[in-house]
Amino acid sequence: MTRSIDRAVNLEDIRLLAKRRLPRIAFDFIDGGVNGEECLDRNRQAFRRHTLVPRYLVNIEQRDQSTELFGRRYASPLGISPAGLAGLMWPDADRLLAEAAAEANIPFMMSAAACISIEEAARIAPSTTWFQVYGTRNPDIVDDQVRRAADCGVQVLVLTVDVPIVPRRERNVRNGFRRPMKFTPARVIEGLAHPAWLMGFLKNGVPPLANWFAYAPPGADKNAVADVFGANTPAPGQEWPALERIRRLWKGHLIVKGILHPSDARRAVEAGADGLMVSNHGGRQLDCAPSPLEMIGTIRAASGEDVTLLMDSGVRRGSDVLIARCLGAQACFFARPTLFGAAAAGKAGIARVIEIVRGEIDLVMGQLGCAEMSAMDSSWLTRTILDEAGETTA
């Protein structure tokens, strides 16, 4: 499979490699959205509505896509978004994601529902691991996770706020994706048709929610731990004081993830957020939500220039990263492509995903006549140029 991953030209190639290797229940868990999946399409269409205008006779022999976030310079304006149950796609996927991110010098935003602990991730990738927390019905759990992240040296904490209730993902409903996982005859046949995945699953079972063992009774197995997670998340009663509480506890950089409304952006900054991630959870929560890209400019205006602005949801090309940068985002994150990379070829697949997108960023910068990532701003957007010329983009 490594040879196949080396021949992958773009992220869609890697998605198709993963589709061949995964049973439907696992592939659809990654690939699917919520309800009719209109939000998935909206996320991609938003990028297609923007074009960039090149400048020529510019020296672009040396190009630099490095980007500073929270006082640290990363190799690219790119990062890995949090993804729960990554270990279902490939054994130890969270560990491989952390390692690949560290080697590529990009942020790895570790999920609260990861299959390794925050302590282990921080040992693997101490400089590039960020940690995501969800609000819980028991705020003492959040307090303890914040403490644990601080104790193991994590510099950036991410509070995800866009999961107030459990959504209805129709692919998961059709596939019977639920706990406990039942092996129907059809599912056994499907598994046998994907032997590499099946061997890993039979050896490891449903992956554990490693960060939650501390909150289960002593000696609890991973199913009992999953019950604790399910009983405490999501937290539909969570309100703004939860963010204020975390801000008081956390001394490092704090991001609020899932912001789409400018009023929420202003309030999060007032509560002490250092950064915002504009996100609709990859189209996995609210099918009628706007794409983050179309909200970036409004969020930037509401939050101010000093706030670090990130985005995810629908990023699939290097040009997407540059378009988002021109609209006000300092970096873009994604999860599905790296999960597909893990399913297709383990760590080599994740590395190939990062390599492809980095290469596309570099090529587009060269074609545009832009040698420095710091020079990417709204002046490269077609609509900006036409507006300044008194033309119309309609």
Side-chain angles (χ1 to χ4, degrees):
M1 186 59 71
T2 300
R3 290 186 60 195
S4 297
I5 203 71
D6 290 341
R7 292 196 296 268
V9 173
N10 57 33
L11 299 193
E12 179 62 12
D13 287 350
I14 294 176
R15 175 181 174 274
L16 294 176
L17 285 173
K19 188 174 184 178
R20 290 200 290 269
R21 206 170 196 196
L22 291 173
R24 179 180 297 176
I25 194 170
F27 177 81
D28 281 353
F29 177 76
I30 309 174
D31 196 56
V34 68
N35 294 353
E37 301 189 349
E38 295 176 7
C39 197
L40 295 182
D41 183 61
R42 192 176 302 117
N43 287 342
R44 289 302 304 142
Q45 290 298 330
F47 286 103
R48 297 186 183 111
R49 287 194 290 270
H50 293 276
T51 53
L52 302 173
V53 180
R55 303 296 301 273
Y56 297 119
L57 297 177
V58 178
N59 184 348
I60 44 85
E61 190 171 7
Q62 300 295 324
R63 299 179 293 283
D64 179 13
Q65 62 180 267
S66 65
T67 300
E68 185 172 315
L69 300 172
F70 304 113
R72 189 185 189 284
R73 185 152 290 275
Y74 294 92
S76 300
L78 189 67
I80 299 175
S81 288
L85 292 179
L88 184 63
M89 311 310 137
W90 188 266
D92 282 338
D94 291 291
R95 181 178 294 105
L96 301 180
L97 289 165
E99 290 175 355
E103 291 170 11
N105 187 23
I106 63 172
F108 166 55
M109 195 178 286
M110 181 187 186
S111 172
C115 304
I116 61 172
S117 70
I118 178 57
E119 289 82 6
E120 184 173 357
R123 287 194 297 271
I124 295 168
S127 299
T128 54
T129 294
W130 301 359
F131 184 56
Q132 174 212 44
V133 293
Y134 281 114
T136 67
R137 295 175 186 269
N138 179 358
D140 291 342
I141 292 177
V142 177
D143 292 357
D144 188 63
Q145 290 184 338
V146 170
R147 176 196 60 76
R148 288 168 59 190
D151 286 350
C152 61
V154 170
Q155 299 297 307
V156 181
L157 188 75
V158 183
L159 172 63
T160 293
V161 298
D162 60 358
V163 189
I165 58 176
V166 176
R168 189 171 189 267
R169 297 171 185 163
E170 293 180 3
R171 291 204 217 182
N172 289 356
V173 173
R174 292 191 184 98
N175 291 331
F177 189 97
R178 64 177 68 91
R179 282 194 321 108
M181 190 78 73
K182 295 181 179 179
F183 279 88
T184 63
R187 194 164 295 153
V188 170
I189 292 170
E190 177 83 3
L192 291 172
H194 302 85
W197 179 88
L198 182 61
M199 285 189 292
F201 183 82
L202 291 176
K203 180 180 179 181
N204 299 286
V206 175
L209 299 176
N211 284 305
W212 290 78
F213 276 94
Y215 316 116
D221 63 15
K222 58 188 176 182
N223 288 320
V225 171
D227 288 338
V228 172
F229 177 81
N232 281 279
T233 63
Q238 180 174 251
E239 297 182 89
W240 287 99
L243 170 58
E244 296 162 0
R245 178 186 177 112
I246 290 172
R247 179 68 284 180
R248 288 192 297 271
L249 292 171
W250 179 254
K251 307 307 179 185
H253 303 293
L254 177 61
I255 296 171
V256 179
K257 181 180 184 292
I259 295 293
L260 287 171
H261 197 289
S263 294
D264 286 351
R266 280 190 291 269
R267 190 157 183 182
V269 173
E270 290 168 359
D274 304 298
L276 304 173
M277 176 168 275
V278 188
S279 170
N280 59 28
H281 217 92
R284 292 171 67 83
Q285 293 302 125
L286 177 65
D287 207 21
C288 56
S291 72
L293 193 75
E294 64 185 312
M295 301 305 297
I296 282 284
T298 303
I299 298 294
R300 171 57 75 194
S303 60
E305 293 299 319
D306 294 334
V307 174
T308 298
L309 197 60
L310 313 170
M311 73 153 283
D312 72 2
S313 306
V315 177
R316 296 295 180 270
R317 287 282 187 179
S319 56
D320 296 343
V321 177
L322 297 177
I323 288 168
R325 178 91 183 197
C326 290
L327 289 168
Q330 280 128 297
C332 287
F333 286 63
F334 51 34
R336 284 184 178 95
T338 50
L339 292 179
F340 288 140
K347 184 176 172 182
I350 302 167
R352 182 63 180 146
V353 166
I354 298 169
E355 179 185 32
I356 286 172
V357 178
R358 273 186 169 167
E360 291 180 350
I361 291 172
D362 181 68
L363 285 172
V364 176
M365 287 178 66
Q367 291 285 359
L368 285 175
C370 180
E372 302 264 349
M373 183 58 63
S374 58
M376 293 299 303
D377 58 24
S378 62
S379 65
W380 298 91
L381 293 167
T382 304
R383 74 179 193 190
T384 300
I385 296 167
L386 293 179
D387 287 347
E388 290 176 351
E391 302 288 341
T392 177
T393 57

